[in-house]
Amino acid sequence: MRIIKSKKFKKDIAFGLTIILWIVTVWLLYPLINLDSIDMENAKEYLYRSAFGISIMIIFFGKTILDLFFPQVTLSKAPLINTIFLSIYSFLLAGGIIFMITRVMLLFLRSRKSGFLF
């Protein structure tokens, strides 16, 4: 009984840490979503902040792809609903990464008009 509680506790901790990491990622990427309302004086800060957020998203994407191709279940193959969910999740992550990278490029190009960014 203790082993079952321990596994559930570990899963709950992992789920909680994932949620916290997603909240931090959204906070890091928030200026890119509201790109029209940011000040160009702080463009360098937004660039580094968003680069860190995109890095976290890339790590999540890599973990999702790893879970999709190499499932860690005891059965010989993953349940169909799990595979479908991970596929949709990976496509959404890839789209989000591409969207955020294009926003970073927009920020960079917009800041180039006012001077050298670095």
Side-chain angles (χ1 to χ4, degrees), residues 26-77:
V26 168
W27 176 77
L28 287 170
L29 295 174
Y30 185 73
L32 285 181
I33 296 169
N34 294 336
L35 191 59
D36 299 330
S37 64
I38 64 171
D39 298 330
M40 282 300 121
E41 293 84 29
N42 298 332
K44 187 175 181 180
E45 175 188 334
Y46 293 138
L47 184 67
Y48 292 131
R49 181 176 166 176
S50 59
F52 190 64
I54 291 171
S55 299
I56 294 173
M57 284 182 70
I58 290 172
I59 291 170
F60 274 133
F61 181 72
K63 183 194 176 308
T64 303
I65 294 298
L66 188 72
D67 289 344
L68 190 60
F69 289 131
F70 304 107
Q72 298 295 323
V73 294
T74 57
L75 303 173
S76 61
K77 64 180 191 174

Side-chain angles (χ1 to χ4, degrees), residues 6-111:
S6 175
K7 285 182 181 181
K8 181 165 176 23
F9 181 71
K10 286 181 182 179
K11 285 184 179 182
D12 290 344
I13 293 291
F15 182 74
L17 288 175
T18 302
I19 294 297
I20 289 170
L21 200 54
W22 265 114
I23 291 170
V24 169
T25 304
V26 168
W27 176 77
L28 287 170
L29 295 174
Y30 185 73
L32 285 181
I33 296 169
N34 294 336
L35 191 59
D36 299 330
S37 64
I38 64 171
D39 298 330
M40 282 300 121
E41 293 84 29
N42 298 332
K44 187 175 181 180
E45 175 188 334
Y46 293 138
L47 184 67
Y48 292 131
R49 181 176 166 176
S50 59
F52 190 64
I54 291 171
S55 299
I56 294 173
M57 284 182 70
I58 290 172
I59 291 170
F60 274 133
F61 181 72
K63 183 194 176 308
T64 303
I65 294 298
L66 188 72
D67 289 344
L68 190 60
F69 289 131
F70 304 107
Q72 298 295 323
V73 294
T74 57
L75 303 173
S76 61
K77 64 180 191 174
L80 181 63
I81 192 75
N82 188 24
T83 305
I84 291 171
F85 173 71
L86 283 176
S87 299
I88 292 170
Y89 181 65
S90 65
F91 280 120
L92 289 174
L93 269 173
I97 290 169
I98 292 169
F99 176 73
M100 290 301 165
I101 288 175
T102 56
R103 298 294 275 192
V104 167
M105 287 192 289
L106 271 169
L107 177 65
F108 177 73
L109 292 174
R110 188 180 297 171
S111 67

